[in-house]
Amino acid sequence: MLKRKLFTGLGTALALAACGVVPTPPITIPDVTLNLQSSAASQGRVIYVRQDAFGGASIPKLLQGLSISGDASYTALGGNLSEVAVYVRTSMPSGCQGLTADVVACDPARESGQAIGTIALQAGASRPFTLSGPALDTAGKSGHGYFGVRAVRGDSLTGEQLRLINLKARARF
């Protein structure tokens, strides 16, 4: 009877693993700070910052369904940004307009395949979020992740910041 339960449990675990639902322990990744530009200057484009959030640390090829959770902290200087769409790339995009030495702006239609979710924001408060999607899987496996945002609701002003903090990455077998 004990062997039967052991094999049943082992079979269930293997079946779950085959379905891609066995989560791995969370891995801490560095905070990301996005120095926002004026919504008027960004003109609805995706703003990428030149900071590799993964810094060369990749996930094994067997893993899939990478997700990142954490808290978003929006520092407003008069802006009223309340929601952003988030994107990720394995390298800084070419063919986009440089706004500063550390920031480029890209056409959102061209970036649609890089979208990994949205984050609700509240000035002066931290809001929890979870991001996922094929572009995040690709970035995680490559070991390089450059984050970008696009204003969905509200407006930002130059000098404001969006900080993604307490970041944890998880994947599944």
Side-chain angles (χ1 to χ4, degrees):
M1 183 70 168
L2 181 58
K3 283 185 179 179
R4 184 175 177 181
K5 285 184 180 180
L6 179 62
F7 285 120
T8 301
L10 182 58
T12 301
L14 289 173
L16 288 172
C19 294
V21 295
V22 176
T24 60
I27 297 169
T28 300
I29 59 175
D31 294 348
V32 175
T33 299
L34 300 161
N35 293 312
L36 301 174
Q37 302 297 308
S38 164
S39 293
S42 62
Q43 301 171 342
R45 294 176 290 180
V46 179
I47 304 301
Y48 284 96
V49 64
R50 294 184 199 274
Q51 176 187 349
D52 186 353
F54 298 157
S58 62
I59 63 170
K61 301 289 186 218
L62 292 174
L63 297 180
Q64 61 185 340
L66 182 63
S67 67
I68 292 179
S69 60
D71 298 303
S73 175
Y74 168 50
T75 304
L77 301 173
N80 63 354
L81 196 58
S82 62
E83 184 178 14
V84 294
V86 183
Y87 302 77
V88 69
R89 289 184 143 275
T90 59
S91 62
M92 284 300 287
S94 59
C96 296
Q97 179 185 5
L99 296 180
T100 70
D102 294 324
V103 176
V104 298
C106 303
D107 178 1
R110 180 179 150 197
E111 299 301 304
S112 63
Q114 309 307 315
I116 57 172
T118 60
I119 299 176
L121 304 173
Q122 182 178 351
S126 290
R127 302 284 303 263
F129 69 88
T130 299
L131 304 169
S132 62
L136 190 56
D137 281 346
T138 300
K141 289 176 182 175
S142 79
H144 300 285
Y146 295 87
F147 286 97
V149 295
R150 179 181 54 81
V152 174
R153 283 196 323 239
D155 293 306
S156 61
L157 298 176
T158 300
E160 296 182 339
Q161 285 188 334
L162 172 58
R163 294 188 64 230
L164 306 180
I165 57 175
N166 305 319
L167 298 177
K168 302 279 187 205
R170 287 187 170 88
R172 298 184 315 250
F173 280 106

